[in-house]
Amino acid sequence: MFQSLWLWTIAVPMALVTSWLVKRTIYSKTNIDRALVLYLLITMASMFGGAVIYYSSPSVLSLVEAVAVNAVLMTGGVIFILRFWGENVDEELNQLVATSDNASQTTLQSSRIETQGIAFRGAAISLILLSEFLMGWAFVLISGTPTITSGTLFQTVVGSDWFIFTMALEMVLSVYFLRRDLPKYFVAIFLTQSVVMFFAPTAIHNSSWVTDSIYLGSIAMIGLLIYVYEFLFNHRLITNVARAYLVALLGAYATMMAGLYLWLVVGNSLLFVLSIVAEMVIYFDVLLMGKQAESSKSTSWMLTPWWVFGFLGLTFIAEYFMGGLFDIQYYGISFVSGISLVPIAGTAINQIGAAFFDFISYFGAITGSAWFLIMMGAEMGALVAFKIRITRELETKIRLVMVIAAYFIYSIFLPSFFLSNAASVPFVGWSMGIGTAGAVAPVFLGAILGTYLITAVLSFLFGSRQVCSVFCTAALMYQGTFYDSMKEFNRSSKLGKKLLTSRMSGLYKTVSSVVIASIVVAAILSYLNAVGIISFTFYGTDIAYFLYIFYFNFLWYVIFVSIPFVGTYGCVTTGMCHIGLFNQFVSRFGLFRLKVKDPAVCAKCETKDCAKACPVGLTDLPGSFIKSGQFRSHKCIGVGDCVSACPYQNEYFYDVRGWLREKFGIGKDKGYGLTKLPVIGTPGAMTNAGKQVDAKPPFGENSSSAS
Ligand code: SF4
Ligand code: SF4
């Protein structure tokens, strides 16, 4: 205990000095400045290197060796500094630019000096990490725990409290020293990064610390992701440095979560400690750029689909393993051992089949677990809450509140924590129809048919929005601020363009036919197997249930991270969801539709904002409004972004409530989405983001009502 305190009295000042050197690194303009910074870093590293030499095998000889190494490095360092005495990088460059009449030579020299800057940054980062590593190594040797074996030295040191806590402290102190040189968003991200670093489960050998740090570190990471999503939602233009940084950071976090998962499952922390080092390199690289990071070229991230794909994909990998970590904490390691896997053996076909089965089963076990959904819900729910804040229509606000409530109550709490046998309860137990809760067995037939009946009645009365925009978990995932903003990809991506409008494209017909056929065949086989007429399973798992896992716990997420190439709501636009198709089909004949007060307003409307706002790409809205004053489409899931986007508040929802009003003459059908009467011809109407737009009136006076 006393020894540890004594060592911390060295580690804390060491973090302070390193952070100060980080600041000096940024302000170093001359070669002598740079050489001095490197010299001090080398001195620190050699000091701890000497301690490692001595404490590895304490003796007079090792003491002499330690002193000798320090003496050589320090003397060598002084010679190194003298080499640069009197040189000034900036003056050199300025003089060159002023005197040179050869532009290409100037560019060449500038790039040479820039390369020197990169090399200096690289050297500084390497030395910071080296001295941290040597300090951690020395302190692990001095404190005596845990035992170091040659194969795990790197893991022991980097995963230790000496390395982790000192690094976390250095991150905080460096940000403090450089707070005025960094943009606000970098300060917020860096500080949260330091919190994530601090809660490294390997730092303290104690099971409560492992559990608590997994939860607290993950909460910090979720907070960071929410912050980044909102930042991207509010800033389309970001610098190239920020873009590279975000994707690299997410790569490190994806590796970190995968590493922690591996550590808990197989006990090897190598991947985790590598991710710690990677995170530090990424962190210091941007930090040491200082103001230069902000002056790099800016691009709209929406114009870089591959970057968005990388960002979404890496985020998903981090979330996936985080969900797995939560599952292990909650259910114990039996969560992993309970996943049904089959040996990959036999003929080549058998091996491929078994590998496919194992992959989908493992993948689906986590994505279908309650804790993965809780974690995703916290993240995506925050974005939906932000969306509520900027939504104009009361009806849409209420629906978004219902989305959050339905996600946690209907999709998680009731089936996973409340009902002991959800499979016998229609609608809740079989939320996604056939396969959701198990086999199509006689004992569940009532619950399955009941599900289809309830969902069909709801879709007839309210449209398929009841599932796709309320009860389905997809509503929460797609409708938060950041994810909703990516609906532009429905119109810009190659595939997204093919899926636009209510028309059934060839791709839609093919996908939906395959999906329906597969689910019908699987249901029949599942039933025949359940009643004992045939014996058919897919590696011991009911085929209808396996198909459900494949479609909703695997394929759905593939489509989700492929937004830059497919657009948002890919499950609707491609027709890959059989329960969605069923409800959309019923809705086609039901009461739900979108109406406009006055088709003439649409005819003269210049912006056609409703068509641009639709997250499933129904660009045929205005044409239908102009023609018939209303819009019905099997693909319309009633999100209502079009209603919010109409600058003239001309559009509204119509469903059973409107029908009842009409039928029983209770008031006039004014549209439930409207908080005010339309302000036709009023400039400065509101957008769905709640901002005033320069909306030119479509014409000078109001015209007659359409209905
Ligand atoms: S199509 Fe299916 S997965 Fe997509 S939102 Fe609708 S019900 Fe959910
Ligand atoms: S934005 Fe409004 S006025 Fe314009 S076409 Fe759409 S519903 Fe009609």
Side-chain angles (χ1 to χ4, degrees):
M1 178 69 184
F2 176 75
Q3 195 178 41
S4 283
L5 275 178
W6 180 76
L7 291 177
W8 279 116
T9 58
I10 299 175
V12 172
M14 146 91 181
L16 193 67
V17 172
T18 310
S19 312
W20 180 79
L21 284 175
V22 166
K23 187 179 174 179
R24 291 303 321 151
T25 306
I26 294 177
Y27 292 133
S28 298
K29 297 289 177 219
T30 62
N31 279 343
I32 187 70
D33 278 353
R34 292 176 171 184
L36 260 172
V37 168
L38 294 182
Y39 175 70
L40 289 171
L41 286 171
I42 289 170
T43 307
M44 276 171 39
S46 72
M47 198 172 72
F48 290 116
V52 168
I53 293 172
Y54 175 72
Y55 281 103
S56 293
S57 158
S59 68
V60 176
L61 183 65
S62 62
L63 187 64
V64 172
E65 282 171 5
V67 172
V69 167
N70 271 281
V72 169
L73 284 173
M74 284 181 193
T75 317
V78 172
I79 295 168
F80 174 68
I81 292 176
L82 291 175
R83 148 80 183 79
F84 294 108
W85 201 264
E87 285 184 22
N88 185 323
V89 180
D90 279 0
E91 271 176 20
E92 208 180 280
L93 177 63
N94 290 341
Q95 205 179 353
L96 199 84
V97 172
T99 54
S100 177
D101 53 357
N102 184 336
S104 66
Q105 203 192 356
T106 306
T107 314
L108 202 73
Q109 286 296 333
S110 307
S111 86
R112 183 176 64 82
I113 289 171
E114 196 180 317
T115 310
Q116 278 177 7
I118 294 170
F120 170 60
R121 248 184 9 245
I125 294 169
S126 308
L127 286 169
I128 290 170
L129 290 177
L130 179 68
S131 90
E132 287 293 341
F133 180 79
L134 292 173
M135 185 198 80
W137 188 357
F139 286 9
V140 162
L141 283 171
I142 296 166
S143 59
T145 53
T147 311
I148 296 174
T149 59
S150 59
T152 60
L153 170 67
F154 178 69
Q155 287 151 265
T156 307
V157 172
V158 178
S160 72
D161 49 348
W162 303 115
F163 188 90
I164 300 274
F165 293 160
T166 314
M167 270 296 176
L169 183 61
E170 258 166 39
M171 290 165 94
V172 175
L173 291 171
S174 314
V175 173
Y176 174 76
F177 284 137
L178 292 165
R179 64 195 182 285
R180 291 201 184 85
D181 295 299
L182 295 167
K184 263 193 191 138
Y185 64 90
F186 265 135
V187 171
I189 293 173
F190 286 163
L191 286 178
T192 321
Q193 242 188 290
S194 66
V195 177
V196 175
M197 171 68 92
F198 178 80
F199 287 117
T202 56
I204 297 177
H205 293 249
N206 172 313
S207 61
S208 320
W209 168 262
V210 171
T211 304
D212 295 347
S213 61
I214 283 178
Y215 284 128
L216 294 171
S218 300
I219 289 170
M221 201 181 284
I222 289 172
L224 179 70
L225 287 173
I226 294 171
Y227 179 83
V228 171
Y229 291 148
E230 268 305 279
F231 173 76
L232 291 173
F233 173 67
N234 289 313
H235 301 84
R236 284 293 166 88
L237 277 183
I238 58 169
T239 63
N240 289 352
V241 169
R243 270 193 314 138
Y245 174 70
L246 285 178
V247 96
L249 179 65
L250 283 166
Y253 279 169
T255 314
M256 183 181 284
M257 289 291 118
L260 274 180
Y261 186 84
L262 267 182
W263 182 58
L264 288 189
V265 175
V266 300
N268 191 324
S269 65
L270 181 63
L271 196 59
F272 174 69
V273 297
L274 284 175
S275 75
I276 294 271
V277 175
E279 191 196 350
M280 293 322 304
V281 172
I282 294 160
Y283 171 84
F284 281 119
D285 187 43
V286 173
L287 191 72
L288 294 181
M289 281 187 198
K291 287 190 172 149
Q292 204 187 324
E294 254 318 84
S295 58
S296 69
K297 198 178 149 212
S298 293
T299 324
S300 166
W301 57 266
M302 284 292 298
L303 296 176
T304 51
W306 277 105
W307 179 84
V308 181
F309 179 68
F311 176 82
L312 297 181
L314 291 168
T315 309
F316 178 77
I317 294 171
E319 288 161 340
Y320 175 84
F321 285 107
M322 195 191 290
L325 289 172
F326 286 175
D327 285 321
I328 293 174
Q329 293 309 307
Y330 187 76
Y331 302 108
I333 201 70
S334 61
F335 171 80
V336 178
S337 49
I339 300 173
S340 68
L341 300 176
V342 294
I344 300 171
T347 62
I349 299 275
N350 243 328
Q351 287 187 22
I352 293 169
F356 175 70
F357 174 85
D358 286 352
F359 175 73
I360 299 296
S361 294
Y362 208 102
F363 195 95
I366 290 179
T367 52
S369 70
W371 283 97
F372 173 82
L373 290 176
I374 290 171
M375 181 267 305
M376 287 293 268
E379 213 176 289
M380 304 293 163
L383 303 187
V384 173
F386 295 142
K387 176 91 180 278
I388 293 172
R389 265 194 348 208
I390 56 170
T391 297
R392 184 183 62 193
E393 277 65 38
L394 182 63
E395 166 136 354
T396 305
K397 276 183 191 281
I398 293 172
R399 186 183 59 73
L400 290 172
V401 171
M402 285 167 67
V403 166
I404 298 176
Y407 185 92
F408 286 103
I409 299 171
Y410 171 81
S411 299
I412 301 173
F413 177 67
L414 292 179
S416 301
F417 297 106
F418 187 71
L419 298 168
S420 51
N421 184 10
S424 58
V425 184
F427 196 59
V428 174
W430 298 81
S431 57
M432 301 310 278
I434 290 168
T436 311
V440 186
V443 65
F444 299 134
L445 271 188
I448 297 173
L449 292 175
T451 299
Y452 279 91
L453 186 68
I454 294 170
T455 198
V457 169
L458 287 174
S459 281
F460 185 85
L461 299 177
F462 298 101
S464 63
R465 64 194 312 225
Q466 62 89 6
V467 55
C468 294
S469 301
V470 178
F471 284 113
C472 179
T473 53
L476 193 88
M477 308 260 184
Y478 277 121
Q479 290 185 27
T481 45
F482 170 67
Y483 282 90
D484 183 53
S485 71
M486 285 190 280
K487 61 193 170 194
E488 277 179 44
F489 285 120
N490 292 59
R491 289 144 189 87
S492 61
S493 66
K494 231 180 187 176
L495 186 58
K497 278 185 204 158
K498 287 190 186 152
L499 302 168
L500 288 176
T501 78
S502 306
R503 179 184 66 89
M504 287 203 242
S505 61
L507 181 72
Y508 182 90
K509 282 184 196 156
T510 310
V511 173
S512 54
S513 305
V514 168
V515 166
I516 293 291
S518 67
I519 215 75
V520 169
V521 170
I524 294 168
L525 290 174
S526 174
Y527 183 80
L528 294 177
N529 182 62
V531 295
I533 294 175
I534 59 169
S535 176
F536 182 85
T537 59
F538 191 57
Y539 292 95
T541 296
D542 175 77
I543 186 72
Y545 184 56
F546 183 80
L547 213 56
Y548 161 81
I549 294 172
F550 174 73
Y551 281 139
F552 294 110
N553 293 349
F554 171 69
L555 195 57
W556 192 91
Y557 287 101
V558 173
I559 291 180
F560 185 61
V561 299
S562 306
I563 289 175
F565 308 116
V566 184
T568 54
Y569 264 113
C571 50
V572 177
T573 58
T574 61
M576 66 70 66
C577 163
H578 68 267
I579 195 78
L581 286 169
F582 172 77
N583 282 286
Q584 288 149 24
F585 176 75
V586 175
S587 173
R588 182 77 186 87
F589 304 101
L591 301 170
F592 175 76
R593 67 206 64 193
L594 294 162
K595 283 190 174 188
V596 286
K597 300 234 159 214
D598 189 348
V601 175
C602 298
K604 298 194 179 180
C605 169
E606 284 174 13
T607 59
K608 306 283 191 274
D609 285 337
C610 55
K612 292 176 200 152
C614 178
V616 292
L618 298 177
T619 47
D620 45 339
L621 279 157
S624 180
F625 287 149
I626 293 165
K627 210 165 140 197
S628 63
Q630 63 176 11
F631 178 78
R632 295 180 89 171
S633 163
H634 66 287
K635 281 191 197 168
C636 176
I637 52 167
V639 166
D641 286 0
C642 52
V643 176
S644 300
C646 174
Y648 309 109
Q649 300 191 30
N650 193 30
E651 191 188 336
Y652 62 95
F653 302 106
Y654 178 94
D655 56 25
V656 63
R657 293 163 298 173
W659 181 82
L660 282 173
R661 287 194 186 207
E662 275 178 1
K663 212 64 189 158
F664 299 104
I666 312 165
K668 204 179 162 216
D669 173 22
K670 292 179 194 160
Y672 300 96
L674 297 173
T675 48
K676 297 181 220 155
L677 286 174
V679 283
I680 299 165
T682 307
M686 308 291 277
T687 64
N688 60 336
K691 290 174 190 158
Q692 288 233 316
V693 291
D694 182 21
K696 283 190 196 138
F699 48 88
E701 74 263 3
N702 293 353
S703 67
S704 59
S705 170
S707 54

